[in-house]
Amino acid sequence: MKICVFGASSDSLAPAYYEAARTLGEELARAGHSLVYGGGRGGLMGACASGVLALGGDITGVAPRFFDEGDVLFKEAGSFLFTDTMAQRKTLMEDLADAFVVLPGGVGTLEEFFETLTLCLLGRHSKPIVILNTCGYYEELRALLWASIDKGFTAEACRTLLRFCEEPVEVLPLLQLPAVEEARGISQYGK
C-alpha cells in the first residue's frame, strides 16, 4: 500500500513529535508499505522518511521545483517527482496514495487534510484517513469537527471516515478497517 503522510516541516517542535513520526515511518517500512510525502528533509515529514529509509522502505517524495534549493529536500527518497505548483504537488500525492495519515502540523498540513477529507465526502475517493494525535495535538480539531457534525454543518459520515489514534503502532490497523465505502459520497453536496 502507498501511504501518503502529511505533517509539519518545522524543526523546532518537542522531541516526542519527531519520535512518533520516525516510529510511524519504521512501522510503514516494517509492514512493506511505501511512503508518499511532500519530500522535505526536515520536520515530521523528514523524521517519517528517515524511519522508512532506516528499514529499507520505499519512499516517493513530491515537491514543487521551487523547493529544490539548498538542503530542503530529502533526496535519499527512492524516487522524487517535481511539480510546478503546490496544488499540483497535493493532487499528485493524492493520486499516488492508497491511504492518508495526518501527523501534527500547521496550516499547510491542515489544508492538505481538509482537502483530502472533502474529496472523500464528495465521493471523489474512498481512501482511508487516519489522524495521528501525538501528544493530544488534534483534540481541539476533533472537538471542532464533532461540533460541526452535531450542528449540521458537516455530514455525519465524517465520524466514520476519520480515524483518530494516539500512537504510531495504531495507525496501520486503522488503515485496514472497512467502512470508507459506506460513508463516502454522502455529504450534503452528494445527496
Side-chain angles (χ1 to χ4, degrees):
M1 183 183 314
K2 292 182 179 178
I3 300 173
C4 180
V5 174
F6 301 129
S9 60
S10 175
D11 285 327
S12 59
L13 307 173
Y17 293 110
Y18 302 106
E19 291 165 15
R22 183 176 174 90
T23 299
L24 174 64
E26 292 168 354
E27 291 290 318
L28 297 179
R30 193 174 289 118
H33 299 298
S34 299
L35 172 66
V36 174
Y37 85 117
R41 174 173 300 288
L44 303 188
M45 289 191 295
C48 185
S50 293
V52 172
L53 185 65
L55 294 184
D58 184 55
I59 302 170
T60 300
V62 181
R65 280 238 177 260
F66 61 82
F67 277 4
D68 194 14
E69 296 179 4
D71 203 25
V72 172
L73 300 177
F74 192 78
K75 293 289 182 80
E76 294 86 345
S79 63
F80 218 97
L81 304 173
F82 287 99
T83 62
D84 292 325
T85 68
M86 292 291 281
Q88 291 170 342
R89 171 200 201 196
K90 186 173 45 182
T91 299
L92 183 54
M93 290 191 301
E94 290 166 355
D95 289 346
L96 291 171
D98 299 310
F100 300 93
V101 177
V102 183
L103 302 178
V107 295
T109 300
L110 291 170
E111 189 267 338
E112 292 165 331
F113 159 67
F114 276 113
E115 179 166 321
T116 301
L117 174 59
T118 300
L119 290 172
C120 191
L121 286 167
L122 293 173
R124 303 306 297 167
H125 73 80
S126 58
K127 301 171 185 180
I129 303 168
V130 172
I131 298 173
L132 182 54
N133 190 25
T134 306
C135 300
Y137 181 79
Y138 281 120
E139 287 306 309
E140 290 85 1
L141 176 64
R142 181 175 5 202
L144 175 65
L145 288 168
W146 284 191
S148 179
I149 293 166
D150 292 342
K151 294 175 182 179
F153 288 96
T154 300
E156 181 65 36
C158 191
R159 284 192 222 272
T160 304
L161 294 173
L162 293 179
R163 296 142 188 211
F164 286 84
C165 64
E166 311 305 311
E167 299 295 331
V169 296
E170 299 172 302
V171 169
L172 292 179
L174 289 175
L175 290 176
Q176 304 303 322
L177 288 176
V180 173
E181 282 292 334
E182 298 165 17
R184 68 182 272 255
I186 55 175
S187 74
Q188 294 168 354
Y189 301 112
K191 289 183 179 177

